[in-house]
Amino acid sequence: MGIYKGIKIPDELQGIIKHMSDVEEAREELAILGQQWDLLTILGQITSLNTDMADTQESFKYLTEELLSTLGLETLKKSVHSLTGQAQVAVDILIRNLFERTADIGFLATDEDIRSFLKLDNLDENEFEIHCQNLKKRFAEYTNKYSVYSNIILTDTSGEVVCSLRDDIKLGEIKDPLIQEVQSTSEQYIEVYRYSDLNPSDSKSLIYSYKVKETNDPGSKVLGVLCLVFRFENEVDMIFKNLHSSENEWNIMTLIDRNGSVIASSDPTQVHVSSKVELAPDKEFVVSRFGGRLYLAKTCRTNGYQGYFGLGWMGHAMVPLEYAFNGYEEKQSESQIPLEVIQAATSNDQLFTKELRLIPQKAGVIQSNLDLTVWNGNVQQDDSTHENSSARKVLLWEISSSGNKTQKIFEKSISYLHETAISSLFNETAFISSLAIDIMDRNLYERANDCRWWALTSHFRKTLMQNHLDADHIEECTEILKYINDLYTVYTNLFLFDKKGEIIAVSNDLEKGLIGEVLNDSYVKNILSKSDSQYYTV
């Protein structure tokens, strides 16, 4: 325990409580009342008022400390919850989204059009340009669906760029050792975030790379390397925007690497990229100095997704200490909390701790003792002819008045305490529900991207153009579907059907019974009536 202006407070409030304006206001009011009780006790002794207020006074002092400590801890808890939620969600959403990228690169690297292009030989300049433009169109089809990529780059095994979606990336040799690393690794992909002459316009790029082989056979010949350049800044800006609750919010969200270097910031004017912050993944919170200012901060490691943890990035949220406990929107929402909601919540032992629920009872005991003190004093006054009777009347009136003031201040503080705790619950619930639908929307958006791209698989097209499908054709399509499904694990089954609506292949062996079934006419007509490769139906 520490001491703040004569009041015992928990250690975690040291250096913080003075920034809590509502707690400080309650402390000042209670401090003035405490001085009045000291004075009234002395005057009672001078006027020979036979009332013992020592116990009441001690209870008042103890409850003052308990009330201010609880107020402070609840206020701190509310701010830390906000920071923790934003830091944790920011890094986890990003990791979840980047997990999809590992599947993207794994499938696109098996694309037959890319393999065919790398096998081309002995072409003159014009022939090469024609094939390159055709591949660029295919790359464009891909980025039209998966809009999270700024470029797709293809190199040969020597490290020369042979095709790029963006025209500003010149064909020819590059110096980045990434190309050789990809060819020598046993991993399924390589993920880097640094400068690369594959994308020289940016100081750092998030790139996913995968070797392009002649076939899906693990031992087949390597033809080249495929690189996907991720729109990293766009992605994190969208995440930060969705996590900010209002324009008045002072919280700053950042993503940091293992060394504490900032790689993305929601407010670069306060916390710029490449600056270093104090890491605190194993602490509930820290108060750290940054840029000559004190911040309340929280660091969160990612929970990962299906075993994928990315490059070890963490979420880090911080707020200037002077603004950490004085949100504008919270004050407005708290005043609108219905009384029945407060009563229902405060009586629930799963939402409110025993200590929180006992404070009003203890305040009631103090008030009862004060009422008893005044009542006893009045009885004694009626039976007395003491020469100080006039002064004693005034003193009793002051004791009663101070008791009423005490009760009002406690009621006000307890009401604020309840509203702070309930508002924290409301904010957390609203945050989680909003986050849930955002995650679902993003997830389903990715699914729309997936089916539109897979429908352009060259082998599917060639197979479906056959007049007759034999067992080999069906087996080849089945293997492709299985390969896709192993990469994109969110699907229970993938199925391919012809223009009559007859299912010819599935990815899930347990659902082979679907093969040969004909889908309903309206569903098939709806899909096949559109020639636009961006169209899909659900």
Side-chain angles (χ1 to χ4, degrees), residues 91-109:
V91 68
D92 281 347
I93 284 184
L94 180 64
I95 292 300
R96 169 66 180 82
N97 292 350
L98 295 186
F99 171 77
E100 295 273 358
R101 313 295 60 94
T102 67
D104 292 347
I105 187 67
F107 181 62
L108 188 58

Side-chain angles (χ1 to χ4, degrees), residues 291-314:
R293 200 176 196 180
L294 289 176
Y295 287 84
L296 183 71
K298 172 62 182 175
T299 308
C300 293
R301 296 186 181 92
T302 178
N303 291 313
Y305 186 78
Q306 294 197 18
Y308 171 75
F309 290 86
L311 297 173
W313 295 341
M314 291 173 277

Side-chain angles (χ1 to χ4, degrees), residues 439-508:
I439 290 176
M440 180 58 77
D441 282 348
R442 173 57 186 263
N443 200 331
L444 298 183
Y445 166 75
E446 292 278 359
R447 309 294 64 88
N449 297 341
D450 293 345
C451 69
R452 289 183 297 173
W453 174 249
W454 300 337
L456 299 181
T457 300
S458 295
H459 195 87
F460 290 161
R461 289 175 160 184
K462 292 174 184 176
T463 300
L464 291 169
M465 288 172 66
Q466 302 296 319
N467 293 324
H468 172 72
L469 297 182
D470 57 27
D472 289 339
H473 287 134
I474 293 174
E475 182 60 27
E476 288 170 355
C477 291
T478 299
E479 289 305 312
I480 294 174
L481 290 177
K482 285 183 176 180
Y483 181 77
I484 296 173
N485 212 162
D486 286 342
L487 290 170
Y488 295 83
T489 55
V490 295
Y491 297 99
T492 58
N493 191 25
L494 308 179
F495 59 92
L496 184 68
F497 59 92
D498 61 20
K499 62 184 179 182
K500 295 179 293 185
E502 182 180 341
I503 296 175
I504 62 172
V506 297
S507 65
N508 188 341

Side-chain angles (χ1 to χ4, degrees), residues 404-415:
N404 290 331
K405 290 179 183 177
T406 301
Q407 184 177 14
K408 288 179 180 178
I409 290 175
F410 274 123
E411 286 176 351
K412 176 184 173 183
S413 299
I414 290 168
S415 175

